[in-house]
Short mmCIF file of all heavy atoms in Angstrom, two decimals:
data_model
loop_
_atom_site.label_atom_id
_atom_site.label_comp_id
_atom_site.label_asym_id
_atom_site.label_seq_id
_atom_site.Cartn_x
_atom_site.Cartn_y
_atom_site.Cartn_z
N GLU A 100 25.24 -8.79 27.29
CA GLU A 100 24.61 -9.88 28.09
C GLU A 100 25.24 -11.17 27.65
O GLU A 100 25.75 -11.38 26.57
CB GLU A 100 23.11 -9.88 27.78
CG GLU A 100 22.41 -8.55 28.05
CD GLU A 100 22.23 -8.33 29.53
OE1 GLU A 100 22.41 -9.29 30.33
OE2 GLU A 100 22.04 -7.15 29.96
N HIS A 101 25.20 -12.15 28.59
CA HIS A 101 25.71 -13.44 28.29
C HIS A 101 24.90 -14.52 28.93
O HIS A 101 24.22 -14.33 30.01
CB HIS A 101 27.15 -13.62 28.70
CG HIS A 101 27.42 -13.77 30.19
ND1 HIS A 101 27.59 -12.71 31.00
CD2 HIS A 101 27.38 -14.89 30.98
CE1 HIS A 101 27.76 -13.12 32.21
NE2 HIS A 101 27.67 -14.47 32.25
N VAL A 102 24.78 -15.60 28.33
CA VAL A 102 24.05 -16.78 28.81
C VAL A 102 24.93 -17.99 28.97
O VAL A 102 25.77 -18.24 28.05
CB VAL A 102 22.90 -17.14 27.85
CG1 VAL A 102 22.18 -18.38 28.29
CG2 VAL A 102 21.90 -15.97 27.68
N GLU A 103 24.94 -18.65 30.10
CA GLU A 103 25.75 -19.81 30.33
C GLU A 103 25.11 -21.06 29.79
O GLU A 103 23.98 -21.38 30.22
CB GLU A 103 26.02 -20.00 31.85
CG GLU A 103 26.99 -21.07 32.22
CD GLU A 103 27.28 -21.10 33.71
OE1 GLU A 103 27.66 -20.02 34.21
OE2 GLU A 103 27.17 -22.23 34.30
N LEU A 104 25.70 -21.70 28.93
CA LEU A 104 25.13 -22.91 28.30
C LEU A 104 25.81 -24.15 28.79
O LEU A 104 26.97 -24.38 28.60
CB LEU A 104 25.35 -22.82 26.74
CG LEU A 104 25.07 -24.07 25.90
CD1 LEU A 104 23.63 -24.50 26.03
CD2 LEU A 104 25.41 -23.89 24.43
N ASP A 105 24.97 -24.99 29.38
CA ASP A 105 25.47 -26.34 29.84
C ASP A 105 25.39 -27.29 28.63
O ASP A 105 24.32 -27.41 28.00
CB ASP A 105 24.51 -26.91 30.92
CG ASP A 105 25.00 -28.21 31.44
OD1 ASP A 105 25.75 -28.86 30.85
OD2 ASP A 105 24.53 -28.59 32.55
N PRO A 106 26.53 -27.84 28.21
CA PRO A 106 26.54 -28.71 27.01
C PRO A 106 25.44 -29.81 27.01
O PRO A 106 24.94 -30.16 25.98
CB PRO A 106 27.92 -29.33 26.97
CG PRO A 106 28.76 -28.23 27.72
CD PRO A 106 27.87 -27.73 28.77
N LEU A 107 25.15 -30.31 28.20
CA LEU A 107 24.16 -31.33 28.24
C LEU A 107 22.78 -30.91 27.82
O LEU A 107 21.95 -31.64 27.36
CB LEU A 107 24.08 -31.90 29.72
CG LEU A 107 25.34 -32.66 30.17
CD1 LEU A 107 25.16 -33.08 31.66
CD2 LEU A 107 25.61 -33.82 29.26
N ASN A 108 22.53 -29.57 27.96
CA ASN A 108 21.20 -29.01 27.59
C ASN A 108 21.01 -29.00 26.09
O ASN A 108 19.87 -28.80 25.63
CB ASN A 108 21.09 -27.57 28.13
CG ASN A 108 20.95 -27.59 29.63
OD1 ASN A 108 20.56 -28.63 30.22
ND2 ASN A 108 21.21 -26.46 30.24
N VAL A 109 22.03 -29.14 25.34
CA VAL A 109 21.91 -29.26 23.88
C VAL A 109 22.39 -30.60 23.39
O VAL A 109 22.82 -30.72 22.20
CB VAL A 109 22.69 -28.05 23.18
CG1 VAL A 109 21.99 -26.75 23.41
CG2 VAL A 109 24.15 -28.03 23.55
N GLY A 110 22.32 -31.55 24.29
CA GLY A 110 22.57 -32.98 23.86
C GLY A 110 23.99 -33.28 23.46
O GLY A 110 24.23 -34.14 22.66
N PHE A 111 24.93 -32.50 24.09
CA PHE A 111 26.40 -32.68 23.77
C PHE A 111 26.85 -34.06 24.39
O PHE A 111 26.81 -34.14 25.62
CB PHE A 111 27.22 -31.54 24.20
CG PHE A 111 28.61 -31.66 23.82
CD1 PHE A 111 29.02 -31.31 22.53
CD2 PHE A 111 29.65 -32.11 24.68
CE1 PHE A 111 30.41 -31.40 22.12
CE2 PHE A 111 30.95 -32.20 24.29
CZ PHE A 111 31.36 -31.82 23.00
N LEU A 112 27.33 -34.96 23.60
CA LEU A 112 27.77 -36.26 24.09
C LEU A 112 29.20 -36.49 23.68
O LEU A 112 29.50 -36.43 22.44
CB LEU A 112 26.90 -37.38 23.57
CG LEU A 112 25.42 -37.39 23.96
CD1 LEU A 112 24.64 -38.48 23.31
CD2 LEU A 112 25.29 -37.47 25.49
N LEU A 113 30.06 -36.64 24.60
CA LEU A 113 31.49 -36.91 24.37
C LEU A 113 31.82 -38.34 24.51
O LEU A 113 31.59 -39.00 25.51
CB LEU A 113 32.29 -36.09 25.45
CG LEU A 113 33.81 -36.08 25.35
CD1 LEU A 113 34.24 -35.30 24.10
CD2 LEU A 113 34.43 -35.47 26.60
#
Side-chain angles (χ1 to χ4, degrees):
E100 302 288 339
H101 74 271
V102 176
E103 186 176 308
L104 168 63
D105 185 341
L107 293 177
N108 290 340
V109 291
F111 184 81
L112 296 177
L113 184 68

